Amino acid sequence: MTNLELELISEGRYRVRLSEALIEEVGQVEYVNLHAQGPISKDEVLMNIEASKAAIEIPIDFDAVITEVNETLEQHPERLNSEDKSQNWIVCLKK
């Protein structure tokens, strides 16, 4: 998952963020569309983002179940550029 970073938060449960390299590449995030809670399959689109330098789809590299979605990102997509880990996470999932 070169575009995404996983943070282990408990046994088999992860918090997902954009990688620093991707944030530098795309610039200031201006729009986010996130996958809903529930199952997600390998290569399915986890999120779409539009930023100052690019618009991209970000797929997931494995099967998982999304248990929580950071819905505030849809109203405040700029939080993805924040260094504050309490604001810049995308989803929580179980592998």
Side-chain angles (χ1 to χ4, degrees), residues 27-71:
Q28 183 66 35
V29 179
E30 300 164 353
Y31 171 82
V32 175
N33 183 18
L34 303 170
H35 193 285
Q37 278 185 298
I40 185 169
S41 301
K42 180 181 180 186
D43 298 326
E44 195 171 343
V45 175
L46 175 64
M47 66 186 303
N48 295 297
I49 63 173
E50 292 179 14
S52 58
K53 297 179 186 177
I56 59 172
E57 290 184 340
I58 300 175
I60 195 159
D61 292 342
F62 50 83
D63 294 340
V65 176
I66 297 172
T67 59
E68 188 175 354
V69 176
N70 186 354
E71 295 176 358

